[in-house]
Amino acid sequence: MSGKLYMVPTPVGNLEDMTMRAVKVLNDVALILAEDTRTSAVLMKHFGINTPMRSHHKFNEHNTTSAIIERLKAGEDIALITDAGTPGISDPGFMLSRECRRNGITVETLPGATAFVPALVNSGLPCERFAFEGFLPVKKGRASRLEALAQEPRTMIFYESPNRLVKTLQQLAETFGADREASVCREISKLHDTTHHGTLGELHEHFSHEAPRGEIVIIVAGKDSETHVKVDKYAKFKNKYSQRDENA
């Protein structure tokens, strides 16, 4: 009987965001595949996890996946973790998951930490529907991707590094319009967790004078955002029932 591959989210900031179930799975499996074993060693030590670890990242996954599949076929349970967040979300995980599916091996993904969800909720922008874009292309295809997203009606989510944030905000403002509502969330769940709200133009101005640090999530309102529509609907709803109460 084949083993199971567990996709295990790890904290994006505060180590106490780790779930009890994640700790149990990492203790129970035969092997932990880690994006960077040195980074993950800190997490393992904190929770007293002594399961053997092996490196599995975007630079070696083409060479290591087949051997991992064979171990799973032989009945071993294996867990995949990344440096922070959920495997497969702008991190290694897709290739191994796909090969497990092709080989009839069960993949179980635990719910847990991921950076974009708290950033999206903190933004105050509509989150019933959203488009997760992750990291934009660094060079080739970047401008055309932004142009394609200019008409996107859903709230958009981007990951960005601190050294590219100012340029990215400038490009977003130029393509989407400087008055488009947005937020920049950085250092999620860490000591200096902050969220800045404003238009793309205002955010570009702010971070041009204040050097950003840490991991960053940019949330941008979709074209013709429904935010003002919801406010109008709420106002009508409130007025309707206020009048009813007055007439009672």
Side-chain angles (χ1 to χ4, degrees), residues 47-61:
F47 289 103
I49 299 168
N50 298 309
T51 305
M53 283 195 294
R54 177 176 170 180
S55 178
H56 183 83
H57 47 72
K58 65 180 181 179
F59 300 109
N60 72 358
E61 60 183 349

Side-chain angles (χ1 to χ4, degrees), residues 22-104:
V23 173
K24 182 178 187 305
V25 167
L26 294 179
N27 269 313
D28 291 347
V29 295
L31 175 69
I32 297 171
L33 303 172
E35 186 177 6
D36 187 329
T37 55
R38 294 166 299 180
T39 299
S40 297
V42 176
L43 184 71
M44 300 304 128
K45 182 178 180 180
H46 183 82
F47 289 103
I49 299 168
N50 298 309
T51 305
M53 283 195 294
R54 177 176 170 180
S55 178
H56 183 83
H57 47 72
K58 65 180 181 179
F59 300 109
N60 72 358
E61 60 183 349
H62 288 85
N63 299 322
T64 59
T65 295
S66 60
I68 295 167
I69 293 296
E70 292 305 312
R71 292 186 65 163
L72 288 162
K73 284 182 176 179
E76 289 186 297
D77 290 335
I78 296 176
L80 173 64
I81 62 174
T82 58
D83 290 349
T86 300
I89 305 297
S90 292
D91 278 319
F94 163 70
M95 180 179 293
L96 185 55
S97 177
R98 179 189 64 190
E99 292 307 307
C100 283
R101 175 172 54 83
R102 289 176 174 175
N103 286 273

Side-chain angles (χ1 to χ4, degrees), residues 1 60 113 118 129 153 156 214:
M1 183 177 177
N60 72 358
R129 299 182 303 131
M156 291 166 280

Side-chain angles (χ1 to χ4, degrees), residues 2-248:
S2 296
K4 182 185 291 187
L5 175 68
Y6 291 92
M7 299 286 207
V8 181
T10 55
V12 297
N14 193 319
L15 293 183
E16 297 309 311
D17 291 338
M18 190 78 165
T19 68
M20 291 185 289
R21 184 182 174 206
V23 173
K24 182 178 187 305
V25 167
L26 294 179
N27 269 313
D28 291 347
V29 295
L31 175 69
I32 297 171
L33 303 172
E35 186 177 6
D36 187 329
T37 55
R38 294 166 299 180
T39 299
S40 297
V42 176
L43 184 71
M44 300 304 128
K45 182 178 180 180
H46 183 82
F47 289 103
I49 299 168
N50 298 309
T51 305
M53 283 195 294
R54 177 176 170 180
S55 178
H56 183 83
H57 47 72
K58 65 180 181 179
F59 300 109
N60 72 358
E61 60 183 349
H62 288 85
N63 299 322
T64 59
T65 295
S66 60
I68 295 167
I69 293 296
E70 292 305 312
R71 292 186 65 163
L72 288 162
K73 284 182 176 179
E76 289 186 297
D77 290 335
I78 296 176
L80 173 64
I81 62 174
T82 58
D83 290 349
T86 300
I89 305 297
S90 292
D91 278 319
F94 163 70
M95 180 179 293
L96 185 55
S97 177
R98 179 189 64 190
E99 292 307 307
C100 283
R101 175 172 54 83
R102 289 176 174 175
N103 286 273
I105 297 167
T106 299
V107 176
E108 185 170 341
T109 301
L110 277 62
T114 189
F116 77 80
V117 173
L120 175 62
V121 175
N122 282 352
S123 73
L125 295 171
C127 45
E128 291 88 350
R129 299 182 303 131
F130 55 87
F132 176 75
E133 289 295 320
F135 288 98
L136 288 164
V138 176
K139 293 181 180 179
K140 186 178 180 180
R142 186 180 181 90
S144 59
R145 186 65 194 145
L146 286 173
E147 287 291 343
L149 291 170
Q151 303 302 314
E152 171 59 60
R154 296 170 294 178
T155 301
M156 291 166 280
I157 303 165
F158 302 93
Y159 285 168
E160 193 50 278
S161 65
N163 61 308
R164 286 200 300 264
L165 176 62
V166 173
K167 184 175 182 180
T168 296
L169 289 171
Q170 179 183 353
Q171 292 173 325
L172 287 168
E174 291 171 349
T175 308
F176 297 170
D179 60 346
R180 185 80 69 94
E181 291 292 322
S183 72
V184 172
C185 189
R186 66 182 188 87
E187 294 289 79
I188 294 171
S189 190
K190 297 179 183 178
L191 180 62
H192 301 292
D193 183 339
T194 57
T195 299
H196 295 271
H197 305 275
T199 64
L200 287 171
E202 290 168 343
L203 291 169
H204 175 257
E205 176 70 15
H206 173 79
F207 285 104
S208 293
H209 295 91
E210 181 180 308
R213 297 179 181 178
E215 299 301 318
I216 290 167
V217 185
I218 305 171
I219 310 294
V220 183
K223 182 175 174 58
D224 301 324
S225 171
E226 296 178 354
T227 305
H228 69 283
V229 177
K230 292 188 177 188
V231 171
D232 289 345
K233 285 183 177 179
Y234 175 73
K236 290 178 181 178
F237 177 86
K238 185 177 180 181
N239 289 338
K240 175 182 177 182
Y241 283 90
S242 293
Q243 291 173 4
R244 188 184 70 177
D245 292 341
E246 290 173 0
N247 295 330

